[in-house]
Amino acid sequence: MFCVEAERPVASIVIVHGACEHHGRYKWLSDMWRSSGYNVVMDDLPGQGTSTRARGHIRSFQEYIDEVDKWIDKAKSFRLPVFLLGHSMGGLVAIEWFKQHENGINGLILSSPCLGLQLKLKPNKLVDVLSKGLNVMAPSLLFESGITPDKATRNKELIEMADNDPLYFTKVSVRWYHELLKAMKSALEPADTFLNIPLLVMQAGTDLIVDKKMTVKGLISLHPEIKHTGNGRACITRSLMSLNERTFLKRQKRLQINISRNGGAFFVSTGASVRINGKSIQRGFSARPSGIRQMADEGRKH
């Protein structure tokens, strides 16, 4: 388990990486958090990175959730507010972890959470039907996922690093694929638990892996009140805009939902009445380290 401690930490952040990669690709992020005053805990998910499991294969998505549970426990050992950050498939893991636990952390950060796959990554209908049989007969059979470095980033330097990274892989098992589908379906089921925690959702505009429309649908599932605005969901992305944003935000004032757009990308932050150290606190959630610091400092006062 990788753990870095800040000199004067105000909170701890658990980072969950995405599919086909490993925690080492987030060292730059852990360095940033540490310099900003946060402890960082992360490791490789089962079947990825340096884990001892067969690469690209899992028996159940629950294995990911159980592994993250250990990282959360480590973060809690510092006796500071804990924030869970998940990227892509890691965002899906974070959602499912919180659905099962409903508490234990002080904020949830989702970066392009994998709630749906782009059409180009989905197998055709024939292959999909065949995969259901293989999921029973040969669950560990590997196939190309299509999650290549050039789809994960446009940064040529990072693409070259990933191409030369022995821990980066592109093949996944039939069972992994079907467990991912089950987890995405589960994550889209409405849940009230997310109304009680500060939540930050960031979604890339030109995402070649995650279907950003499903991120919007997932946000609506996490915050059912958004449905009350009728076409309110249209305010989240420019391409789906049909309702005046000012009207939308006015209607959602009691939830403190803040929306910012940059082209096709967007981030949504919500304020929620949460309990930290037994004290109820109303606080918005900022994307900047200073925003998390403010939330953490508030928790330390009580």
Side-chain angles (χ1 to χ4, degrees):
M1 188 181 299
F2 178 84
C3 179
V4 295
E5 299 182 40
E7 187 175 345
R8 295 180 179 178
V10 296
S12 298
I13 297 179
V14 176
I15 299 177
V16 188
H17 64 77
C20 303
E21 57 174 359
H22 55 93
H23 79 273
R25 287 166 54 83
Y26 294 79
K27 185 179 183 303
W28 66 273
L29 185 58
S30 66
D31 289 341
M32 184 198 75
W33 287 126
R34 179 176 58 180
S35 65
S36 298
Y38 303 93
N39 299 326
V40 176
V41 178
M42 58 183 180
D43 204 348
D44 293 332
L45 292 170
Q48 302 195 196
T50 57
S51 67
T52 57
R53 292 284 306 280
R55 190 166 295 177
H57 176 63
I58 54 172
R59 291 183 294 272
S60 168
F61 201 84
Q62 185 64 37
E63 294 177 42
Y64 290 153
I65 299 170
D66 293 342
E67 184 64 26
V68 170
D69 210 24
K70 300 174 185 177
W71 309 349
I72 295 289
D73 286 342
K74 175 61 177 178
K76 288 181 179 179
S77 69
F78 294 110
R79 299 184 181 280
L80 293 167
V82 176
F83 296 88
L84 180 58
L85 187 162
H87 173 68
S88 194
M89 187 190 74
L92 177 61
V93 175
I95 290 173
E96 288 301 280
W97 182 90
F98 190 72
K99 274 191 170 184
Q100 291 185 18
H101 294 78
E102 298 188 10
N103 53 43
I105 59 174
N106 302 97
L108 185 61
I109 308 169
L110 305 176
S111 168
S112 293
C114 185
L115 299 175
L117 295 173
Q118 287 285 5
L119 185 61
K120 292 182 179 180
L121 293 180
K122 296 178 181 179
N124 59 49
K125 291 184 179 180
L126 177 59
V127 174
D128 187 57
V129 171
L130 291 175
S131 71
K132 293 178 181 178
L134 290 172
N135 188 37
V136 177
M137 303 297 293
S140 61
L141 180 66
L142 300 177
F143 67 95
E144 285 290 344
S145 66
I147 305 176
T148 53
D150 62 305
K151 286 187 173 65
T153 179
R154 289 176 291 181
N155 187 306
K156 293 183 179 180
E157 183 179 348
L158 293 179
I159 292 175
E160 183 177 357
M161 288 176 60
D163 284 336
N164 296 304
D165 186 346
L167 297 180
Y168 192 98
F169 62 95
T170 59
K171 289 187 176 182
V172 295
S173 71
V174 175
R175 175 62 55 82
W176 179 91
Y177 171 67
H178 281 277
E179 287 298 304
L180 181 71
L181 293 181
K182 287 168 55 179
M184 290 190 296
K185 182 178 179 180
S186 172
L188 290 173
E189 295 175 357
D192 294 333
T193 56
F194 294 89
L195 296 175
N196 301 316
I197 187 172
L199 170 68
L200 170 65
V201 182
M202 299 173 286
Q203 174 60 54
T206 311
D207 201 319
L208 301 180
I209 297 175
V210 170
D211 183 351
K212 68 180 182 182
K213 291 181 180 179
M214 297 307 292
T215 302
V216 175
K217 184 176 180 179
L219 176 64
I220 294 168
S221 296
L222 300 184
H223 281 271
E225 281 81 354
I226 294 179
K227 293 181 179 178
H228 295 171
T229 66
N231 291 327
R233 70 185 70 183
C235 281
I236 296 176
T237 66
R238 184 184 300 276
S239 60
L240 297 177
M241 180 68 69
S242 66
L243 181 67
N244 180 274
E245 182 172 306
R246 182 177 299 177
T247 301
F248 174 76
L249 294 179
K250 183 177 180 181
R251 294 181 185 180
Q252 297 304 319
K253 186 175 181 180
R254 65 189 181 90
L255 274 181
Q256 289 185 282
I257 295 178
N258 304 297
I259 299 175
S260 292
R261 299 192 313 276
N262 181 10
F266 64 87
F267 78 80
V268 177
S269 62
T270 71
S273 179
V274 295
R275 298 190 69 82
I276 299 180
N277 296 337
K279 179 70 175 181
S280 181
I281 302 169
Q282 190 78 20
R283 175 68 66 190
F285 202 21
S286 169
R288 296 185 177 88
S290 60
I292 300 179
R293 176 183 289 275
Q294 187 179 22
M295 182 70 179
D297 287 344
E298 192 73 29
R300 288 162 63 91
K301 293 177 184 177
H302 303 284

